[in-house]
Amino acid sequence: MAKQIITVIKGDGIGPSIIDSALEILNAAGCDFEYEFVDAGLTALENTGELLPQATIDAIAKNKITLKGPLTTPVGEGFTSINVTLRKKFNLYANVRPVVSFEGTKARYEDIDIITVRENTQGMYSGLGQVVSEDGSEAEAMSKITREGAQKIAVFAYELARRENRKKVTIVHKANILKSTSGLFLKVAREVAALYPDIETAEMIVDAACMKLVMTPEEFDVIVTTNLFGDILSDLCAGLVGGLGMAPGANIGEDAAIFEAVHGSAPDIAGKNLANPTSVILASIQMLEHLGMGDTAERIRNAVADVIKTGDRTTRDLGGNHGTTDFTQAVIERL
Ligand code: NAP
């Protein structure tokens, strides 16, 4: 059988070191992948003059599966976010961000298990219609939700809930104020919910959801929400399990999927061997599950869990005093 080819974008800042860690672990776990390395972000801008070169787009389209490090989008200067561009270009409509407690982290809770399913191409986050008046006194942006987009993400969330034996989906919205966009999202999500009587449905306004996630996170199982709310809520959820170093994300479409850490390129700790690679390792675990390699995924998850539980060579954010490379070795020794 032909080898599975994975497109790898190492990314900017801490990206190369955490991606190297994930690849070393995949190789040590016996994954017989072939990797096609391409650039995006600042690295690509420096090498090719473009933030998102055509060769990168072609590789993502050809291989269909991509593992990606965080990318730095220069602030202002007219640059569009590469992540937003990739999500739209490949119609990666579902962003799946699970957070699970690992014993041994410095988190406030011990039993968190929440998946945020975020609509990934529409709404306020999509960057549509961003205009600043010439004199800089007014700015506007557009938010657009379609029935089809809302329906697809709601079906995705309920199907995921059913597949993973989850009990409840919470629809998070702001339909009381954003009556058109959030209103349509809620209406369509309710219609979809009615088709899944085996799964409990709750509805929650986004501000209340933030408060409840902090106070009573056990109320949540699967969250389905629009793009911007999902972006914010999933970082909040990362905070429940020990921070951004612990949160992966999968961007799923019909023709391609991109797996990445939720966090960014963390320029403050880049090049210092300080980054916790767990998020991107967990993203590679999501990738293995997507490829039907659940057993290998489980082996890697158990190895990571044991390193964190025992505190053997953990990184600073996990309470340890070791670097990315030591952490990686500790995981590999357990495989
Ligand atoms: P960030 O890169 O997520 O970093 C925020 C802070 O979180 C870091 O300063 C660091 O805090 C901590 N952190 C993040 N990842 C960590 C890890 N793996 N291990 C340990 N600590 C970690 O957010 P940002 O500084 O706001 O954004 C930096 C750049 O990343 C921006 O250009 C932004 O556009 C980009 N970004 C890209 C993506 C993506 O490609 N998917 C996502 C978000 C942001 P300490 O100070 O505690 O060390």
Side-chain angles (χ1 to χ4, degrees), residues 238 242-248 261 263 275-282 308 317-318:
L244 283 169
M246 301 298 297
H263 61 73
N276 174 5
T278 303
S279 300
V280 93
I281 298 169
L282 295 176
I308 297 174
D317 59 310
L318 291 169

Side-chain angles (χ1 to χ4, degrees), residues 60-65 90-93 252-257:
I60 295 170
K62 176 166 60 80
N63 301 325
K64 301 192 186 317
I65 304 286
F90 291 100
N91 195 17
L92 306 172
Y93 67 94
I252 311 274
E254 296 206 327
D255 302 316

Side-chain angles (χ1 to χ4, degrees), residues 27-168:
N27 293 341
C31 298
D32 195 17
F33 296 139
E34 199 176 310
Y35 301 112
E36 181 171 350
F37 294 94
V38 288
D39 283 337
L42 275 191
T43 318
L45 188 68
E46 280 157 22
N47 292 343
T48 67
E50 284 179 283
L51 279 171
L52 186 57
Q54 187 60 41
T56 301
I57 296 170
D58 293 346
I60 295 170
K62 176 166 60 80
N63 301 325
K64 301 192 186 317
I65 304 286
T66 298
L67 184 64
K68 182 180 112 10
L71 305 176
T72 302
T73 301
V75 177
E77 302 173 48
F79 291 111
T80 310
S81 157
I82 313 145
N83 292 315
V84 173
T85 307
L86 284 174
R87 289 165 190 170
K88 283 196 196 164
K89 195 173 265 304
F90 291 100
N91 195 17
L92 306 172
Y93 67 94
N95 192 329
V96 185
R97 296 183 157 189
V99 289
V100 179
S101 298
F102 281 82
E103 197 183 333
T105 50
K106 292 194 296 177
R108 285 177 179 75
Y109 298 97
E110 286 173 1
D111 299 311
I112 304 290
D113 184 358
I114 301 170
I115 303 181
T116 302
V117 177
R118 159 188 176 191
E119 200 293 320
N120 215 17
T121 58
Q122 307 191 336
M124 190 47 86
Y125 197 96
S126 70
L128 271 187
Q130 304 214 56
V131 187
V132 181
S133 66
E134 246 168 51
D135 65 359
S137 64
E138 279 183 22
E140 54 184 62
M142 191 177 142
S143 176
K144 183 173 173 179
I145 302 277
T146 65
R147 165 169 279 279
E148 190 197 353
Q151 196 169 33
K152 272 175 89 168
I153 198 66
V155 168
F156 188 99
Y158 278 91
E159 285 294 323
L160 180 145
R162 206 176 249 177
R163 204 169 52 244
E164 298 202 358
N165 276 325
R166 291 184 172 257
K167 304 281 171 276
K168 183 176 173 186

Side-chain angles (χ1 to χ4, degrees), residues 14 68 70-72 83 260 262-269 276 316:
I14 59 173
K68 182 180 112 10
L71 305 176
T72 302
N83 292 315
E260 63 182 346
V262 164
H263 61 73
S265 51
D268 57 329
I269 54 170
N276 174 5
R316 196 180 58 171

Side-chain angles (χ1 to χ4, degrees), residues 184-199:
L184 178 61
F185 180 80
L186 177 60
K187 182 169 186 280
V188 175
R190 277 178 181 163
E191 289 168 12
V192 172
L195 304 174
Y196 294 83
D198 49 318
I199 293 161

